[in-house]
């Protein structure tokens, strides 16, 4: 997977390191999409995206409700004409070391460390598809 992301160019990789909120799409048991805003971090070398959240969230329930290895999800971010979507299979991770690592990655990307939460888990997405266009110019602020 990392080769596919790298083939999208340095702008694509950088876009996933800039401060942007994203959306996570999971699938409800009835097949309907569930889309929520999230912070996401991407480990390009490992081909993994991570979202930290509470263990009682609907997104976690949707992932746990899927058959093992079949919880298809996507994360997406957009800014002006730049956009990027990563798709893959999600798993919920609860090990304290995995959660701590994901929190540290979140802090590095978003410039703040979330308050401790004993209910926190990690949605770990093994990426198998990368789409998007991050090579267009960044939007400029309006001049008045």
């Amino acid at each position: 997977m990392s080769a596919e992301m790298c083939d999208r160019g340095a702008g694509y990789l950088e876009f996933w390191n800039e401060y942007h909120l994203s959306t996570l799409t999971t699938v409800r048991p009835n097949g309907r999409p569930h889309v929520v805003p999230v912070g996401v971090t991407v480990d390009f070398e490992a081909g993994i995206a991570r979202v930290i959240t509470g263990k009682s969230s609907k997104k976690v329930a949707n992932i746990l409700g899927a058959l093992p290895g079949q919880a298809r999800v996507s994360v997406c971010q957009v800014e002006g004409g730049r956009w990027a979507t990563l798709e893959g299979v999600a798993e919920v991770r609860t090990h304290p070391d995995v959660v701590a690592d994901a929190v540290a990655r979140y802090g590095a990307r978003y410039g703040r460390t979330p308050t401790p939460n004993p209910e926190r888990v990690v949605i770990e997405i093994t990426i198998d598809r990368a789409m998007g266009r991050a090579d267009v110019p960044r939007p400029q602020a309006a001049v008045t």
Side-chain angles (χ1 to χ4, degrees):
M1 181 61 233
S2 59
E4 181 181 340
M5 283 190 286
C6 291
D7 288 347
R8 297 208 158 272
Y12 190 83
L13 302 179
E14 181 57 33
F15 189 49
W16 280 108
N17 287 314
E18 296 171 4
Y19 185 107
H20 295 285
L21 291 179
S22 301
T23 59
L24 169 70
T25 303
T26 60
V27 180
R28 294 180 177 103
N30 66 4
R32 295 178 67 164
H34 178 254
V35 183
V36 293
V38 295
V40 61
T41 61
V42 181
D43 180 341
F44 298 106
E45 290 182 21
I48 294 173
R50 293 175 180 89
V51 173
I52 56 175
T53 189
K55 70 179 179 181
S56 63
S57 69
K58 181 64 177 167
K59 52 191 163 286
V60 167
N62 289 341
I63 293 165
L64 293 176
L67 293 173
Q70 294 187 20
R72 300 287 310 168
V73 302
S74 66
V75 288
C76 180
Q77 63 184 25
V78 63
E79 179 193 42
R82 300 188 315 152
W83 66 277
T85 299
L86 302 172
E87 294 179 355
V89 176
E91 293 184 59
V92 177
R93 304 284 190 199
T94 60
H95 191 279
D97 292 343
V98 174
V99 174
D101 177 62
V103 168
R105 290 171 187 271
Y106 179 97
R109 180 173 187 194
Y110 291 102
R112 71 171 193 84
T113 301
T115 57
N117 178 353
E119 302 295 307
R120 184 170 286 129
V121 298
V122 178
I123 296 172
E124 192 173 88
I125 305 160
T126 301
I127 303 163
D128 58 25
R129 186 170 185 207
M131 299 171 286
R133 183 161 181 202
D135 59 347
V136 297
R138 290 185 75 163
Q140 299 297 314
V143 178
T144 57

